[in-house]
Amino acid sequence: MIRPPRRLKALDDAPDAVRRRTPVRHLWYAAYGSNMHLDRLTAYLAGGRPPGGLRSYPGCRDPRAPARTAPIMLPGLLYFATESQVWTGGRAFYDPDAPPDDLPGSGELPVRGYLLTLSQFSDIAAQEMYREPGEDLDLTEAVTRGRSRLGPGRYETLVCAGLLDGYPVLTFTAPWSSKDIAVNPPAAAYLRHIGAGIVASHGWSARRAAGYLAGCPGAEGHWTAEEIAALLTDPP
């Protein structure tokens, strides 16, 4: 069953008291890559190696499951670039500033929102950045300005896309634009995790999820919707 996605309140429309609430203790982590798959996220929370992955993760200080999950649509573009050491093939990145003419379909990307504590989000971000988890991030700049660059590498730029139920919605991506880097096709196992996460969280059919992913830069022209749909319906 299709689950209506939650719409975000823009940061500019939020009261200053909400935008400047520090420290942030709970937030929505908007996962758009393989962490849309709950088994994959569990490896970040509790530690271990997810199915199909090549890397083991130390886990979070707080290994509990997310308090809540929600299907969310973010404005912007999903694209695949660089080379993943975990999956091989291109990594998923989020470009919140992609020009409207470059955006496929509705100009939105489906994400899976996880309501987490600050320490959980901080430790997931550290593991994505190949850092040792254990230190809380300062989200003040991200929540008040919508963006915070923690470093020059991939997944070291925090983006706050808005508010949901009074909590900030954050994700991480690269500091560059999708126009500034060559795209790279993603691997089959990676696409399977992302597609399965879309199906599970948004209730889309495998065909609809496959059609969406096949139109994303990096996958487009290298993967057909039929091939991606087969990944989501055939046993791995």
Side-chain angles (χ1 to χ4, degrees):
M1 184 178 71
I2 295 178
R3 300 168 180 83
R6 303 292 304 279
R7 299 293 173 178
L8 307 185
K9 176 179 286 188
L11 284 178
D12 291 343
D13 296 335
D16 285 345
V18 173
R19 292 181 59 192
R20 300 181 184 282
R21 183 187 299 157
T22 55
V24 173
R25 301 191 183 280
H26 293 86
L27 59 107
W28 290 97
Y29 163 40
Y32 56 85
S34 58
N35 281 346
M36 290 191 74
H37 196 293
L38 187 57
D39 288 348
R40 167 75 173 175
L41 182 79
T42 299
Y44 277 94
L45 290 170
R49 179 179 297 185
L54 301 177
R55 177 187 172 199
S56 294
Y57 297 89
C60 296
R61 288 166 286 169
D62 180 354
R64 293 176 298 174
R68 289 162 54 195
T69 65
I72 299 172
M73 299 294 289
L74 294 186
L77 176 70
L78 176 72
Y79 66 99
F80 298 93
T82 72
E83 180 74 18
S84 172
Q85 298 178 17
V86 176
W87 304 101
T88 73
R91 297 182 178 93
F93 292 101
Y94 170 48
D95 186 348
D97 302 319
D101 291 344
D102 295 340
L103 300 177
S106 64
E108 296 180 306
L109 61 152
V111 305
R112 191 172 197 171
Y114 299 102
L115 187 59
L116 303 176
T117 65
L118 171 61
S119 72
Q120 287 177 316
F121 178 77
S122 299
D123 288 350
I124 290 172
Q127 292 172 85
E128 285 282 18
M129 299 173 192
Y130 290 86
R131 298 176 180 175
E132 189 68 25
E135 183 176 347
D136 287 350
L137 294 172
D138 183 352
L139 303 181
T140 304
E141 183 179 12
V143 171
T144 57
R145 299 185 179 180
R147 202 74 52 93
S148 178
R149 185 169 173 175
L150 305 179
R154 68 222 179 293
Y155 303 135
E156 292 189 335
T157 296
L158 300 180
V159 177
C160 183
L163 298 168
L164 181 62
D165 298 335
Y167 299 109
V169 178
L170 290 118
T171 192
F172 27 76
T173 188
W176 56 73
S177 163
S178 56
K179 288 293 190 181
D180 297 334
I181 190 168
V183 295
N184 189 28
Y190 192 50
L191 278 178
R192 182 182 291 115
H193 269 72
I194 297 174
I198 294 173
V199 170
S201 58
H202 285 256
W204 289 11
S205 66
R207 185 185 185 93
R208 181 179 177 184
Y212 162 73
L213 290 171
C216 294
E220 185 178 19
H222 296 272
W223 286 94
T224 66
E226 291 74 18
E227 289 170 337
I228 299 175
L231 293 177
L232 301 180
T233 55
D234 295 340

